Amino acid sequence: MKNWYQLTESETLDKLGVTSEGLSSQQADSLLEKHGKNVLEESKKKSVFQVFLSQFADLMVIILIIAAIVSMFSGSVESTIVIFAVITLNAILGTVQHVKAEKSLESLKSLSSPSAKVIRDGRKIEIDSENIVPGDIVVLEAGDLVVADGRIINNYSLQVNESSLTGESTNIDKSVETIEKEVPLADRTDMVFSGSLVTYGRAIVVVTETGMNTEIGKIATLMNQAKSKKTPLQLSLDKFSSRLAVIIMAICVVVFGLSMFNGMSVLNSLMFAVALAVAAIPEALGSIVTIVQAMGTQKMAKENAVIKDLKAVESLGCVSVICSDKTGTLTQNKMTVQKIYVNGESILEDQLDLNIESHRHLLYDMVLNNDSSIVDGKGIGDPTEYALLETFQHIGLDENVLRDVLTRVEEVPFDSDRKMMSTKYKMHGVNHILTKGALDSILDRCVSIATKDGVRPITDEDKAEISRVNREYSEQGLRVLTFAYKESDEALTVDTEKNYTFIGLVSMIDPPREESKQAVADAIRAGIKPVMITGDHKITASAIAKQIGIFNDGDIAVTGLELDAMSDKELDEKIEKISVYARVSPENKIRIVEAWQRKGNIVSMTGDGVNDAPALKKADIGVAMGITGTEVSKDAASMILQDDNFATIIKAVANGRNVYRNIKNAILFLLSGNMAGIFAVLFCSIMALPVPFEAVHLLFINLLTDSLPAIAIGMEKPEKDLLRQKPRDPKQGILTKSFSALMLGQGALIAVVTLISFYIGLQTSPAVASTMAFATLTLARLFHGFNCRSTHSIFKLGLFSNTASIGAFFIGTFLLAFVLFVPFMQPLFSVTALTGAQAGFIALLAFIPTFIIQVVKVIVENVRK
């Protein structure tokens, strides 16, 4: 039996039971049901039960289990039951969170999943790659990711990078020629394979294998892509937690020794040490950070910024330079034809007349020498190209009628070196070669010019006038395409693109997005330098940059050639003044990124093409376009803009800053509360007082009442001044001197009121003292949640601006009241009944730290005014 690559094009189509017109929708649905979705099966995941068991493999949980065993031996069976119940509940919550996180990851992956252009029901449409089936006719163009294995049936200079399969880094030239003998994968030049990248040309391919039957499926290259990595913030917190654990263990040993020295029993001394350990370790910290990050990425996804890499969330808050592509990001990516130069005069599109020969040649060149299409009012392909089709439609004509009558014979696709594209058609029995591209690439290849009086030789005066008109259009911010043709029977190659007849110029504009100007102003206010990088002319780019506020008085615009002529030293001296880069190469983009990074900046780079991929990788935050972006650029990026909008980047930066700020505030809340517990236990140990808390008390605080306010803090909305602050230094950790001083100070304040409450309770009994200390610490920490929402006072912030914090406070208070005042709960949580006066003291003392902190914040706000 022959392999796919050993079959001719017609044999392949026959074997699959399809024609070059593609499958019908019904056939595709039937084949999808038969073969399944075109996806790779991921490596076996942990079962829910395995995830549940893994929740117990944690230092904190082991300490809690020891605490439960100690409680049991000390006769406090109720505490043992509660500790084990809470441990189990925490494991269940962790398992649920893990399962939800996996689903969230899958949903985010689906947002950035590759798409493919296929011929279905005789029309070119775009579908998700997972719905590709064997027999589908796929259209491949430069920048596409090949999403299934297939046999090439039409080839137009296709080159593919198959390094993911073969390890060969050079591009492979593809062909339709059948290979008769058996050859290795790398030599199957008439095939394309899933996971490879189209780097040049285009081709029509019939899909032969999908999913796990593809070559990449067989060798499982992509099996482990879903492995998650810890973010720098999580690694920093892990490091902090492990150090804290070592310090606490050391202190626990000292406390145990002190307690024994003060005459306590071994069990009571052990309970003291265990209480200190439970108080010190922030059990909820890891899950809170993950939850806040998850909420941040989900919010960004809703605002059209899909984060592929969690590290990007943290890095976004540090971005100080955004190098943005112009087309589609700062502009609408909706090219519209403006002025047309034909027959020596400028006209508008509605003045085009099919009865005038030069107009007809221009219109045919615009429609036939064009790879885009318009389906159900939606343009598919390059925006410049379907703007030309829209012009054809605007004058009342249907491009499909023209395309159905005339068949493309040969073509040489557009590439960035030649800056032109050519196709051959037989019209009225004569072969016509149609060409479009940049004026500087085509004008010197023209030997004649189309005029009202027919075709005549082109003169230097004609060329000077054409160049003047081109410059005039460009200075108005218009993009100009040049059109030419010739009648010729010669084979169409790069070498035969010459001896043309000049037809005309078509100018287009991609107007700035309405929101771009405001977004640029927001970026500048946020201390971020916006830079425009584009393939357009310097004049065109500068005109658009001025309109939206990127290019101001004193700024510089440079071309790629001018940049090449600069030394690194010269670039470093000028870079802060260069706001526009025009006509740049991929190497230029990398150099720009590196120059900014040398100055210590965190750089975000946007891009949509194959050539942008290296710069996207090099940048700290690579941002790919979701609409116009090639699959190569999306693969290289850490964030994808679903709407291709610059304003979305600024929103994402604001969200990134807010996520980091909320995480920092949540950590301040958790650690300052824990410090209060540590100070109280240490004080009682040194003063030879009874243990102020049972392990179950601290467990209740850390795992139940603390988690709710911390999550609420993570839901705090961005403040108005968030974008007025300078980008943060990425090298700066969370635990700075000022942060640590604030944490210790606030913890000490809560500890003082907790110990006062403990002393009041001691007047009655140690059991009452322990209950009052527990209740005061819990309620004080619930109040403290409002302090940690922001650096601003609650009066400036607004008590009800975060309803989640109100809800967290009341749920926490209800849980505390339930434990304190419901009789059957009291023995379970080692608390005793309280009088009304004692409850009043608890409420008053618990509120004092928050009152003091808020008064200080109000004073500071007034002083700063």
Side-chain angles (χ1 to χ4, degrees):
M1 182 178 168
K2 287 185 176 181
N3 294 302
W4 289 113
Y5 62 88
Q6 294 173 299
L7 301 176
T8 65
E9 303 97 278
S10 57
E11 285 172 341
T12 307
L13 292 170
D14 289 343
K15 187 173 179 180
L16 290 163
V18 293
T19 68
S20 57
E21 292 297 306
L23 299 168
S24 67
S25 300
Q26 291 82 1
Q27 284 176 304
D29 291 341
S30 174
L31 287 165
L32 188 63
E33 196 172 324
K34 178 183 175 183
H35 295 282
K37 287 193 177 289
N38 178 35
V39 293
L40 291 175
E41 294 171 11
E42 291 187 15
S43 52
K44 193 176 179 182
K45 294 179 181 176
K46 284 183 181 179
S47 67
V48 175
F49 182 66
Q50 285 174 318
V51 172
F52 175 74
L53 288 179
S54 69
Q55 302 296 313
F56 294 93
D58 181 81
L59 175 64
M60 187 54 229
V61 175
I62 293 166
I63 292 171
L64 293 177
I65 291 169
I66 293 167
I69 295 167
V70 171
S71 294
M72 186 170 65
F73 280 110
S74 65
S76 182
V77 180
E78 296 89 349
S79 287
T80 304
I81 293 168
V82 170
I83 290 172
F84 276 119
V86 172
I87 289 170
T88 306
L89 177 64
N90 194 45
I92 292 168
L93 290 172
T95 305
V96 170
Q97 181 193 329
H98 178 89
V99 172
K100 284 180 76 175
E102 279 197 341
K103 286 182 179 176
S104 172
L105 181 63
E106 285 167 12
S107 67
L108 287 176
K109 275 185 175 180
S110 69
L111 283 173
S112 59
S113 63
S115 56
K117 296 181 280 289
V118 300
I119 309 294
R120 292 254 179 107
D121 300 312
R123 294 194 310 166
K124 182 163 81 170
I125 61 169
E126 204 164 298
I127 63 171
D128 288 338
S129 62
E130 64 178 25
N131 294 322
I132 294 285
V133 294
D136 257 324
I137 304 296
V138 176
V139 180
L140 292 177
E141 295 171 329
D144 287 346
L145 183 73
V146 180
V147 295
D149 290 3
R151 171 69 162 88
I152 299 168
I153 54 176
N154 281 307
N155 178 51
Y156 306 101
S157 309
L158 188 75
Q159 288 184 358
V160 178
N161 185 309
E162 295 177 347
S163 57
S164 60
L165 280 166
T166 63
E168 179 60 54
S169 59
T170 56
N171 296 335
I172 308 297
D173 287 303
K174 293 294 182 177
S175 165
V176 293
E177 299 300 321
T178 307
I179 298 163
E180 294 181 4
K181 59 182 181 180
E182 288 211 14
V183 293
L185 186 72
D187 295 330
R188 297 171 193 173
T189 52
D190 59 349
M191 298 282 292
V192 290
F193 301 102
S194 180
S196 52
L197 310 173
V198 178
T199 56
Y200 183 82
R202 59 189 289 270
I204 310 297
V205 170
V206 60
V207 173
T208 54
E209 303 288 358
T210 59
M212 294 304 289
N213 293 321
T214 61
E215 292 297 329
I216 207 163
K218 291 173 188 173
I219 61 173
T221 305
L222 305 179
M223 283 295 192
N224 298 318
Q225 275 191 346
K227 282 185 179 177
S228 59
K229 292 181 180 178
K230 289 192 174 182
T231 69
L233 176 63
Q234 286 173 316
L235 291 169
S236 171
L237 290 172
D238 285 348
K239 195 173 180 181
F240 164 76
S241 297
S242 61
R243 283 181 179 174
L244 181 66
V246 171
I247 293 166
I248 292 306
M249 289 304 167
I251 296 174
C252 283
V253 171
V254 173
V255 168
F256 178 76
L258 273 173
S259 302
M260 291 286 287
F261 180 77
N262 288 331
M264 281 191 187
S265 66
V266 174
L267 278 175
N268 284 340
S269 299
L270 205 53
M271 286 305 292
F272 235 126
V274 167
L276 181 65
V278 175
I281 298 176
E283 297 90 335
L285 185 57
S287 58
I288 297 299
V289 169
T290 305
I291 289 166
V292 174
Q293 283 182 325
M295 289 191 296
T297 55
Q298 291 292 346
K299 186 182 179 188
M300 289 184 197
K302 287 175 185 173
E303 293 181 349
N304 296 312
V306 177
I307 303 294
K308 284 177 60 189
D309 183 353
L310 264 180
K311 291 192 286 295
V313 181
E314 292 159 33
S315 301
L316 272 167
C318 314
V319 167
S320 50
V321 178
I322 299 176
C323 298
S324 175
D325 190 27
K326 175 181 73 68
T327 306
T329 311
L330 293 164
T331 59
Q332 295 177 19
N333 201 22
K334 180 71 176 69
M335 299 297 289
T336 53
V337 171
Q338 301 291 302
K339 297 175 181 177
I340 298 167
Y341 178 76
V342 63
N343 285 345
E345 60 182 356
S346 280
I347 62 172
L348 299 177
E349 63 174 22
D350 58 2
Q351 294 174 277
L352 285 168
D353 187 348
L354 209 57
N355 294 315
I356 300 172
E357 187 177 18
S358 54
H359 287 203
R360 185 167 63 252
H361 271 124
L362 179 61
L363 285 164
Y364 279 18
D365 203 338
M366 288 164 67
V367 172
L368 298 173
N369 190 27
N370 188 321
D371 288 328
S372 70
S373 57
I374 298 175
V375 179
D376 300 327
K378 181 190 174 188
I380 296 174
D382 183 86
T384 302
E385 291 200 326
Y386 58 74
L388 300 173
L389 298 187
E390 285 178 335
T391 295
F392 202 68
Q393 292 182 349
H394 290 163
I395 60 174
L397 301 169
D398 185 348
E399 75 278 4
N400 291 315
V401 173
L402 185 62
R403 287 174 166 183
D404 288 343
V405 173
L406 299 169
T407 304
R408 187 177 292 186
V409 181
E410 292 175 282
E411 68 175 275
V412 180
F414 176 87
D415 74 62
S416 54
D417 294 328
R418 286 168 36 256
K419 297 178 187 172
M420 54 197 289
M421 166 187 181
S422 300
T423 53
K424 184 195 276 189
Y425 286 85
K426 180 162 273 191
M427 293 186 274
H428 310 297
V430 179
N431 281 320
H432 285 66
I433 291 175
L434 309 175
T435 294
K436 74 170 188 288
L439 182 72
D440 52 5
S441 296
I442 293 177
L443 190 57
D444 287 338
R445 300 171 191 249
C446 293
V447 294
S448 54
I449 183 170
T451 69
K452 290 178 183 176
D453 303 319
V455 175
R456 64 169 172 78
I458 196 166
T459 65
D460 289 341
E461 288 76 16
D462 292 326
K463 289 184 178 181
E465 176 61 13
I466 292 164
S467 297
R468 185 195 66 77
V469 173
N470 178 69
R471 190 166 56 254
E472 181 187 302
Y473 287 171
S474 297
E475 284 170 357
Q476 295 168 22
L478 300 173
R479 184 174 182 181
V480 187
L481 276 178
T482 306
F483 291 83
Y485 82 100
K486 69 175 176 177
E487 296 178 4
S488 173
D489 292 326
E490 62 193 339
L492 176 55
T493 66
V494 172
D495 296 327
T496 57
E497 289 180 307
K498 57 188 176 183
N499 301 324
Y500 286 118
T501 297
F502 174 85
I503 312 173
L505 305 175
V506 176
S507 69
M508 285 171 270
I509 191 167
D510 179 12
R513 289 177 181 264
E514 289 179 17
E515 60 272 38
S516 286
K517 194 169 184 178
Q518 183 59 51
V520 167
D522 288 342
I524 293 168
R525 195 172 75 248
I528 299 168
K529 166 80 173 174
V531 177
M532 179 190 284
I533 299 181
T534 178
D536 267 352
H537 289 284
K538 191 201 304 194
I539 297 169
T540 309
S542 299
I544 295 289
K546 278 179 185 173
Q547 287 181 45
I548 58 180
I550 285 180
F551 192 85
N552 299 301
D553 292 341
D555 285 352
I556 306 169
V558 300
T559 64
L561 288 174
E562 290 168 342
L563 183 62
D564 288 335
M566 286 185 197
S567 65
D568 284 347
K569 186 182 177 184
E570 190 181 355
L571 178 59
D572 288 347
E573 288 171 357
K574 292 183 176 179
I575 194 159
E576 291 178 5
K577 282 291 180 185
I578 303 173
S579 295
V580 173
Y581 295 88
R583 287 291 201 235
V584 292
S585 67
E587 292 79 14
N588 291 150
K589 290 187 177 185
I590 292 172
R591 195 167 171 223
I592 294 163
V593 171
E594 287 175 340
W596 277 112
Q597 287 174 335
R598 278 198 299 274
K599 286 189 170 283
N601 291 280
I602 297 298
V603 183
S604 174
M605 167 71 78
T606 72
D608 58 5
V610 180
N611 291 346
D612 295 325
L616 293 177
K617 282 271 189 189
K618 184 69 183 173
D620 299 283
I621 300 284
V623 181
M625 303 297 110
I627 299 171
T628 59
T630 58
E631 298 306 330
V632 185
S633 64
K634 291 178 189 176
D635 188 55
S638 47
M639 184 168 90
I640 298 171
L641 298 185
Q642 292 297 100
D643 58 357
D644 292 13
N645 193 341
F646 182 82
T648 303
I649 304 175
I650 305 304
K651 283 183 192 173
V653 168
N655 272 324
R657 288 187 180 187
N658 195 50
V659 165
Y660 183 82
R661 186 202 63 160
N662 287 349
I663 288 173
K664 193 171 180 179
N665 289 341
I667 291 169
L668 175 64
F669 168 74
L670 292 169
L671 295 186
S672 56
N674 280 22
M675 290 311 299
I678 294 167
F679 288 149
V681 173
L682 273 175
F683 181 83
C684 291
S685 174
I686 292 165
M687 300 302 292
L689 295 169
V691 63
F693 312 110
E694 298 291 336
V696 72
H697 293 164
L698 297 163
L699 202 59
F700 175 85
I701 295 170
N702 286 354
L703 291 178
L704 296 178
T705 55
D706 259 13
S707 297
L708 297 169
I711 292 170
I713 290 167
M715 296 170 73
E716 194 71 31
K717 294 173 184 174
E719 292 171 11
K720 289 179 182 177
D721 65 349
L722 197 61
L723 281 177
R724 292 196 190 105
Q725 300 165 13
K726 287 186 177 180
R728 70 179 176 86
D729 183 352
K731 294 174 185 174
Q732 187 183 67
I734 285 180
L735 300 172
T736 58
K737 286 182 181 178
S738 59
F739 181 89
S740 300
L742 197 61
M743 175 187 73
L744 294 169
Q746 291 177 352
L749 201 56
I750 296 171
V752 168
V753 296
T754 302
L755 288 168
I756 291 170
S757 185
F758 182 68
Y759 267 106
I760 292 169
L762 272 180
Q763 308 309 310
T764 306
S765 71
V768 170
S770 177
T771 301
M772 286 187 70
F774 158 62
T776 305
L777 180 61
T778 306
L779 192 56
R781 286 168 78 159
L782 287 169
F783 276 121
H784 189 47
F786 294 111
N787 299 322
C788 295
R789 282 177 54 191
S790 167
T791 54
H792 297 302
S793 70
I794 204 74
F795 305 103
K796 187 174 181 180
L797 198 62
L799 182 63
F800 297 99
S801 60
N802 183 347
T803 52
S805 65
I806 303 286
F809 176 79
F810 281 113
I811 292 170
T813 306
F814 170 77
L815 289 170
L816 176 62
F818 188 67
V819 167
L820 289 176
F821 303 120
V822 175
F824 74 84
M825 293 298 290
Q826 291 171 351
L828 285 174
F829 282 89
S830 301
V831 297
T832 190
L834 299 171
T835 64
Q838 288 165 339
F841 273 122
I842 289 167
L844 177 64
L845 288 165
F847 181 68
I848 287 172
T850 294
F851 176 76
I852 293 170
I853 291 167
Q854 289 300 319
V855 167
V856 170
K857 285 186 176 185
V858 170
I859 292 168
V860 169
E861 283 170 355
N862 286 319
V863 168
R864 283 178 180 170
K865 282 182 181 177

